[in-house]
Amino acid sequence: MTTGHPDPPGSSVSVSGTGTRTRTRTTIPPVPILMYHAVARTPAPATHGLSVTPEAFAEQMDLLGDRGFTPLTTAQLAAAWRSFGALPRRPVLITFDDGYEGVHRHALPVLAKHGFASTLFVSTGWLRGPDDCGGAPDTMLDWDQVREIAAAGTEIGGHSHTHPQLDQLADDQLTFEIRRCNEIIAGQLGAPPVSFAYPYGYSSRRVRRTVRDAGYGQSLAVGNALARRRQGPYALERLTVRRHTGIEEFERLVEGRAIARNFARDRALTKGYALVRAGRRVFRTSRRPDL
């Protein structure tokens, strides 16, 4: 009879001829996390490059269905990876940033047709309603639409209040942006969000710590790479879906093929701009008067 603790999920046990049990951790495969923004035929110029047409979105979702992918919410993936729990066959995440009106008008019916889960990350100061601060780059959702999206099974996550570059903010501004977003979502939906996405994908150790301390259990960056458990729950990487992402490129993204080549220019620009932003942050800090 075997005694002791049961074997944890995500592990396998082999028994040698002498009866010795050896536990080995099974390989945890990466997961594609797709990042969408506006879904519209005629988006505003500011959102055009990161938008997709309704027809392209429908074709992409058809491909996921035909290939046997199983969409999850951000919270579901993070929970499974924390516990080494089992994931469904061919997991994928469908995420939307900012809160554009076309997510309700065009994406929601397609998601409902397939029975797909997704996550919508909203910048609360951009949504139409009592907390609208202005400055949104296109037509945004209102809170009734957000509630309809949530009722259909989409997870609603935080994306800051006014969509700034969080790593460039002073500590008090950073805390406000993250906690105000949390408070507004909780007030509108009746429960606080548990997932967060960094505006522009920018974060730092300080930003990630502030997100965690605000009560979020996981957060997404960009990175343009497959998400892997070793990235940690507060730096999971995503794949950008753009206006020019054709169905062949989309297929390569979700299958995990040629991703580095597809995003080589993005990665080079990201690394260069990261150095610029770090320099700006140090410069601003050095100019603060001593208190």
Side-chain angles (χ1 to χ4, degrees):
M1 182 175 70
T2 302
T3 59
H5 297 290
D7 301 312
S11 66
S12 61
V13 175
S14 60
V15 181
S16 69
T18 60
T20 302
R21 293 164 59 86
T22 302
R23 179 177 296 141
T24 58
R25 182 69 66 190
T26 56
T27 301
I28 301 175
V31 174
I33 303 181
L34 304 172
M35 180 180 68
Y36 290 94
H37 288 80
V39 183
R41 292 188 178 90
T42 55
T47 60
H48 185 273
L50 288 176
S51 70
V52 297
T53 66
E55 294 77 17
F57 182 76
E59 184 180 23
Q60 291 161 3
M61 296 303 102
D62 285 343
L63 186 145
L64 294 181
D66 292 343
R67 298 297 173 88
F69 282 91
T70 303
L72 304 172
T73 66
T74 304
Q76 288 172 334
L77 175 65
W81 274 353
R82 276 196 176 90
S83 64
F84 290 95
L87 289 173
R89 179 177 177 270
R90 312 206 78 188
V92 66
L93 270 63
I94 303 163
T95 69
F96 303 91
D97 281 11
D98 301 344
Y100 297 102
E101 193 270 344
V103 174
H104 181 272
R105 180 187 300 270
H106 300 297
L108 183 59
V110 176
L111 296 170
K113 168 189 168 184
H114 291 280
F116 284 172
S118 64
T119 306
L120 168 66
F121 295 102
V122 296
S123 293
T124 49
W126 279 3
L127 299 189
R128 288 180 289 148
D131 300 294
D132 186 351
C133 297
D138 208 336
T139 304
M140 309 304 288
L141 296 162
D142 63 33
W143 282 103
D144 285 341
Q145 292 172 318
V146 173
R147 279 186 280 272
E148 288 182 28
I149 292 170
T154 292
E155 177 188 358
I156 308 301
H159 196 47
S160 80
H161 185 51
T162 64
H163 204 278
Q165 297 180 23
L166 295 176
D167 60 341
Q168 299 297 296
L169 300 182
D171 289 346
D172 56 344
Q173 295 173 303
L174 173 62
T175 299
F176 170 81
E177 282 287 339
I178 293 171
R179 291 189 176 272
R180 184 58 178 149
C181 176
N182 186 309
E183 293 166 358
I184 292 172
I185 294 174
Q188 290 286 348
L189 302 184
V194 297
S195 303
F196 190 86
Y198 306 112
Y200 309 102
Y202 301 150
S203 73
S204 64
R205 187 173 300 175
R206 180 179 65 104
V207 171
R208 293 189 288 273
R209 182 176 63 248
T210 306
V211 167
R212 181 196 65 202
D213 292 347
Y216 291 96
Q218 50 279 328
S219 51
L220 305 184
V222 180
N224 285 314
L226 296 174
R228 301 176 186 274
R229 186 181 184 275
R230 66 172 180 261
Q231 293 163 357
Y234 294 96
L236 296 176
E237 298 190 333
R238 293 189 285 175
L239 299 165
T240 307
V241 185
R242 298 185 172 97
R243 196 77 173 184
H244 62 65
T245 303
I247 195 63
E248 295 83 7
E249 180 182 349
F250 181 83
E251 179 185 7
R252 290 194 297 270
L253 295 182
V254 297
E255 296 288 356
R257 301 197 310 267
I259 290 175
R261 185 171 72 244
N262 281 341
F263 293 109
R265 183 174 181 272
D266 297 76
R267 290 179 175 179
L269 291 172
T270 297
K271 288 180 180 179
Y273 197 38
L275 295 174
V276 173
R277 294 197 325 277
R280 289 174 180 169
R281 172 69 180 166
V282 170
F283 178 71
R284 279 199 294 269
T285 301
S286 68
R287 294 187 65 189
R288 290 178 187 167
D290 295 330
L291 299 179

